[in-house]
Amino acid sequence: MLDTSKHKGLRKRLVDQLISKGISSKPVINAILHIPRHLFIEKDFESYAYLDKAFPIDSNQTISQPYTVAFQTSILEIENNDKVLEVGTGSGYQTAVLVKLKAEVYTIERQHVLYRKSMKRLNELGYNPKSIKYGDGYLGMPEQAPFDKILVTAGASEVPKKLLLQLKVGGKIVIPIGNIDQEMTLIVRKSKTKFEKIKLGKFNFVPMLKNTN
Ligand code: SAH
């Protein structure tokens, strides 16, 4: 579990790339600068960890591209103690970014292998979310709702209604919508019944699947 000066140098280069691609949130840049992404992928591939690319992890899933993590996190404008639900724990890297931003993080993963591994990894690295759940993110986490922010890291064909209803009034969800490629979509809950939708461009995600295996 080594984090060397070489890794730190590679992270600096990565955040410079993210800044040049338009990421401007200082707290998000700072989180990416400090979190050892190479410890979130298999050891043999550690040299890929600081490329701005998605990378395969267990169960045919991917660790999201750093730009995508930075983009989704920036859009949510995370504040200290925000109660945040993440759907799709995956490697746990995005979870660590949210924890580093001092959010109170609840995360759900439907692949048991990833759930188990990420729980262990986050614990060992000291990025502790409030809760990691093995389950179906379409259902959200009703026992913990409402949330200030919801971040979905898998592509859904439409916005899951249950997630929208687990947002506080004034809360925001960022979710990639679409089957083949996805439109990043921000939805703000304006009132109990009114939601405002903003489209933010095309991205590529693994699909959000129903139920657990
Ligand atoms: N944030 C993760 C992204 C992983 S990819 C990271 O950067 O590592 C998306 C993740 O969503 C996968 O791990 C996939 O298993 C998970 N997923 C897909 N459908 C889901 C669902 N219905 N509920 C919870 N997780 C889901």
Side-chain angles (χ1 to χ4, degrees):
M1 299 236 300
L2 263 183
D3 189 30
T4 64
S5 55
K6 179 174 159 236
H7 295 123
K8 291 187 179 114
L10 291 171
R11 282 206 289 282
K12 174 76 177 73
R13 207 169 69 181
L14 173 62
V15 301
D16 287 345
Q17 283 174 28
L18 298 180
I19 293 166
S20 73
K21 290 178 184 175
I23 301 298
S24 60
S25 161
K26 290 227 169 80
V28 171
I29 290 293
N30 184 56
I32 292 176
L33 192 58
H34 287 95
I35 298 172
R37 189 171 187 261
H38 63 285
L39 301 179
F40 289 80
I41 63 176
E42 296 302 322
K43 249 218 200 90
D44 292 346
F45 301 105
E46 94 166 34
S47 58
Y48 294 89
Y50 297 108
L51 302 178
D52 188 20
K53 286 194 182 336
F55 198 77
I57 55 175
D58 290 291
S59 311
N60 275 325
Q61 303 303 319
T62 55
I63 178 171
S64 298
Q65 182 182 347
Y67 175 76
T68 304
V69 171
F71 187 86
Q72 288 195 283
T73 314
S74 301
I75 289 300
L76 287 180
E77 300 178 302
I78 305 288
E79 290 173 20
N80 285 1
N81 304 318
D82 265 355
K83 201 168 174 182
V84 181
L85 174 67
E86 178 194 25
V87 174
T89 318
S91 67
Y93 178 73
Q94 169 77 72
T95 319
V97 170
L98 293 168
V99 170
K100 180 85 183 162
L101 293 173
K102 302 198 170 66
E104 208 179 90
V105 185
Y106 299 80
T107 181
I108 313 178
E109 173 56 54
R110 75 179 282 286
Q111 299 285 352
H112 200 264
V113 172
L114 291 172
Y115 157 76
R116 244 190 326 101
K117 275 199 175 178
S118 297
M119 181 148 62
K120 182 165 175 278
R121 172 182 293 136
L122 287 164
N123 187 269
E124 281 169 3
L125 295 174
Y127 295 109
N128 292 308
K130 283 271 171 188
S131 158
I132 303 186
K133 183 170 166 178
Y134 168 56
D136 179 4
Y138 277 97
L139 308 177
M141 233 189 251
E143 67 279 15
Q144 296 295 344
F147 297 97
D148 296 291
K149 317 274 163 72
I150 301 178
L151 196 164
V152 181
T153 73
S157 53
E158 56 192 65
V159 187
K161 187 118 188 272
K162 289 192 169 143
L163 293 184
L164 285 183
L165 297 176
Q166 288 177 26
L167 274 180
K168 289 183 188 171
V169 170
K172 297 174 183 176
I173 176 170
V174 66
I175 176 168
I177 298 292
N179 293 319
I180 297 169
D181 56 358
Q182 292 87 21
E183 181 81 35
M184 190 67 81
T185 309
L186 169 68
I187 300 169
V188 184
R189 186 170 199 176
K190 293 291 196 182
S191 70
K192 214 161 181 299
T193 52
K194 199 165 162 261
F195 294 86
E196 184 183 85
K197 197 188 242 189
I198 303 160
K199 292 181 177 175
L200 298 167
K202 294 282 185 197
F203 283 78
N204 263 297
F205 281 83
V206 294
M208 185 166 166
L209 302 172
K210 295 218 175 188
N211 308 318
T212 50
N213 294 323

